[in-house]
Amino acid sequence: MSSNQKMLKIMSFIAVIAAIAMAAWTGMSLMFANTSPGLLLAICSLVAALFDLLLGGMGIGVANKPVRGLGVYYIGFTWLAVVLNVVAMVIYVFIGGFVVPSIVNAVIMIAYLYYSRAVRFEALR
């Protein structure tokens, strides 16, 4: 197992932990979402949590068997997760929400994308 595969597995476990944290954050956001922007923040948190959970599970499989990372759906999900996390971060900034969980989640997904791309390139060789 290469160092990129090990780091992808670690980032996958971190993504699962981030999914649990974002789910808790979503619960708190939904409790206090009494306006449309508050509901938008809760939806952004929910989508980020779902993508973290999905990619965390898929990343463990890709780290064990890198050929699984060559699928178009996996590449699309990783890029979509990064884009949606950055969009959620921008929405948090403009609406005035607490930005730290969104920034941490975006950084985790960017690192995850880096290592998943490295593992995919190793599988292509």
Side-chain angles (χ1 to χ4, degrees):
M1 184 177 276
S2 70
S3 63
N4 287 327
Q5 288 173 309
K6 290 177 186 175
M7 285 304 296
L8 179 61
K9 191 175 275 194
I10 291 169
M11 290 308 299
S12 297
F13 285 121
I14 292 173
V16 170
I17 293 169
I20 294 168
M22 285 302 284
W25 181 253
T26 300
M28 292 299 294
S29 296
L30 281 174
M31 282 195 282
F32 298 108
N34 55 359
T35 61
S36 293
L39 188 59
L40 182 63
L41 289 175
I43 290 170
C44 287
S45 297
L46 178 66
V47 170
L50 291 176
F51 270 107
D52 286 351
L53 188 62
L54 176 74
L55 288 175
M58 290 172 67
I60 293 169
V62 170
N64 290 332
K65 190 174 180 184
V67 177
R68 294 179 187 167
L70 299 177
V72 174
Y73 62 91
Y74 180 71
I75 297 168
F77 281 149
T78 53
W79 277 103
L80 188 62
V82 169
V83 169
L84 286 176
N85 276 304
V86 170
V87 167
M89 185 175 57
V90 169
I91 289 172
Y92 272 101
V93 167
F94 283 135
I95 292 179
F98 186 60
V99 185
V100 175
S102 182
I103 291 173
V104 169
N105 202 19
V107 168
I108 289 170
M109 283 295 109
I110 290 170
Y112 180 92
L113 175 69
Y114 174 78
Y115 290 112
S116 70
R117 287 179 51 88
V119 170
R120 280 197 314 266
F121 288 141
E122 286 177 2
L124 288 173
R125 290 183 203 166

